[in-house]
Amino acid sequence: MSDEFVVDNPSSDRVKKVAQLATRAGRRKQGRFLAEGPQPVREALALWLRRWDENNDAAGAASGAEPGQQQLRAQHPPAEYLPELDALYFTPQALEQHPDLAGLLDQVRGVLFNPEAELPRAARFFLRGATAEALAAMSDADTPQGVLAVCRQPIIEFGGLDSLLVGMRMTSVWADGSGAAASGATVTFPAVRLAPVLVGLQDPGNVGTLIRTADAAGAGVVILTPGSTDPWAPKVVRAAAGSHFHLPVATGIDLDQLVRFVRENGAQVLAADGYAAETLADLQDERAPELAQPTYWLLGNEAHGLSDQQKAQADGSVAVPLYGQAESLNVSVAGALCLYASAMAQRNALPVEKRQQPPPGEGYEGFAPLAALERHPFERGEPQ
């Protein structure tokens, strides 16, 4: 690779601009965030391929459709609710250490630099090798891992979040050579049946862990209220290990408005409260059908928990039982137990033939990608 295609000046304006994304002010000004390390970058590249590679089975499921209208069930959230690649920097050593990442990057190059591919402007991103010194100057990590992506944050306000929560349909039509409609597909995105609502959580590690856990449990979205930490901060993104590229993350959502809306649309709101009289064990033993309902879990601030007013907005408060002598649980651990209690109850409520398992060996670090599922595991019924 010639020097003109390598970012090698740690003091360049480009490097400084990327480094500014380590600050909340920089992210707010640029509308972008850092995804550092092999795992988040893998997921960013996989998401890009799913969107823009016409030969990708997930992306082009209906592109070769026979004339007529196909009804398809979404395997992933709508693209506009997920981040987009803006730039990618890497050292040759990082690609040598992670051949799977190098393979993904080769696939991306094949599409990005294909003169016959008519990619829209939004699909094109800046791709450069970098020296270790330049990449370290961009990085927020104590030990940079040689690969770093800059991504555009999705803008998810309540006016768009509401459609995601209740489910939606999107229709695409392909024209023949004469311009007449020849085939098309209607993709159904199921309603959200499980989501954590992070109410004033401040610790980046807790927020990142809960995003990753929500992804693993099959939640449809992660929602943060005002006063929570920035979910696009580098420490949060690293803790989430790529899950930002799997499920939508909505921030700054008003709790009163959210609770009213989801309750009006058939979901229940449960508050995780360490002092509640009812425990998860009670729900699992005595009221399991209630636990299987579409559920939004309110998880409160690390130091103060949920206020009395916030708990009053919920349909009920639930504690994780403490069988030992610990005074309390970390919020990310308690949130994981609550999410998985709902996830397993919802899954058990499905007919056996709908409890699909992903193929073995897929995903990273034991997490199955959503692409492995023909339909969302917690989807309710057939579309009306």
Side-chain angles (χ1 to χ4, degrees), residues 41-361:
V41 172
R42 282 188 194 102
E43 301 307 335
L45 290 172
L47 175 59
W48 190 94
L49 284 167
R50 195 164 68 238
R51 285 180 179 171
W52 305 115
D53 183 5
E54 293 183 355
N55 297 317
N56 185 296
D57 291 340
S63 60
E66 296 295 326
Q69 189 71 22
Q70 284 196 339
Q71 299 291 325
L72 303 175
R73 195 166 301 283
Q75 299 176 357
H76 307 278
E80 62 267 29
Y81 291 91
L82 296 175
E84 293 181 301
L85 261 175
D86 186 70
L88 179 62
Y89 304 92
F90 61 89
T91 64
Q93 295 82 3
L95 298 187
E96 291 175 4
Q97 292 172 5
H98 303 281
D100 57 334
L101 183 59
L104 271 175
L105 188 55
D106 285 342
Q107 285 183 259
V108 168
R109 282 192 179 112
V111 179
L112 188 62
F113 301 124
N114 180 0
E116 298 180 1
E118 298 180 358
L119 292 177
R121 185 173 181 178
R124 300 191 176 277
F125 63 94
F126 186 81
L127 177 61
R128 286 291 187 273
T131 62
E133 293 77 15
L135 199 139
M138 300 182 206
S139 174
D140 174 74
D142 293 334
T143 306
Q145 298 182 64
V147 59
L148 177 152
V150 174
C151 302
R152 293 187 287 276
Q153 299 176 20
I155 300 173
I156 307 177
E157 297 178 341
F158 195 85
L161 178 65
D162 56 357
S163 298
L164 178 75
L165 299 183
V166 300
M168 65 181 83
R169 285 191 177 96
M170 292 185 179
T171 300
S172 301
V173 176
W174 290 269
D176 59 20
S178 67
S183 63
T186 296
V187 180
T188 300
F189 297 90
V192 170
R193 288 185 58 85
L194 178 63
V197 182
L198 313 188
V199 185
L201 264 65
Q202 292 291 311
D203 182 76
N206 284 336
V207 172
T209 298
L210 281 165
I211 292 172
R212 183 177 183 178
T213 302
D215 180 18
V221 64
V222 176
I223 299 169
L224 294 91
T225 68
S228 299
T229 198
D230 182 5
W232 308 104
K235 290 181 181 179
V236 178
V237 177
R238 286 197 295 272
S243 289
H244 284 78
F245 301 95
H246 295 167
L247 81 169
V249 177
T251 188
I253 302 301
D254 181 75
L255 183 60
D256 294 347
Q257 187 178 20
L258 174 71
V259 168
R260 284 196 304 269
F261 180 82
V262 300
R263 190 177 284 129
E264 288 170 359
N265 284 278
Q268 66 178 340
V269 179
L270 296 179
D273 174 17
Y275 300 100
E278 189 166 45
T279 70
L280 272 182
D282 297 329
L283 284 183
Q284 290 171 315
D285 294 341
E286 301 169 13
R287 294 162 54 189
E290 292 183 31
L291 198 57
Q293 298 304 307
T295 302
Y296 290 73
W297 281 98
L298 304 187
L299 304 173
N301 175 271
E302 291 89 347
H304 309 295
L306 296 165
S307 69
D308 290 340
Q309 180 182 0
Q310 290 162 347
K311 286 183 281 191
Q313 291 177 288
D315 297 299
S317 293
V318 183
V320 175
L322 300 177
Y323 299 122
Q325 299 182 54
E327 182 271 335
S328 64
L329 284 173
N330 175 278
V331 66
S332 63
V333 175
L337 292 168
C338 293
L339 288 170
Y340 263 94
S342 289
M344 290 185 287
Q346 290 176 357
R347 189 172 181 83
N348 289 336
L350 288 173
V352 173
E353 65 272 13
K354 294 183 179 179
R355 300 177 198 168
Q356 298 183 359
Q357 295 292 339

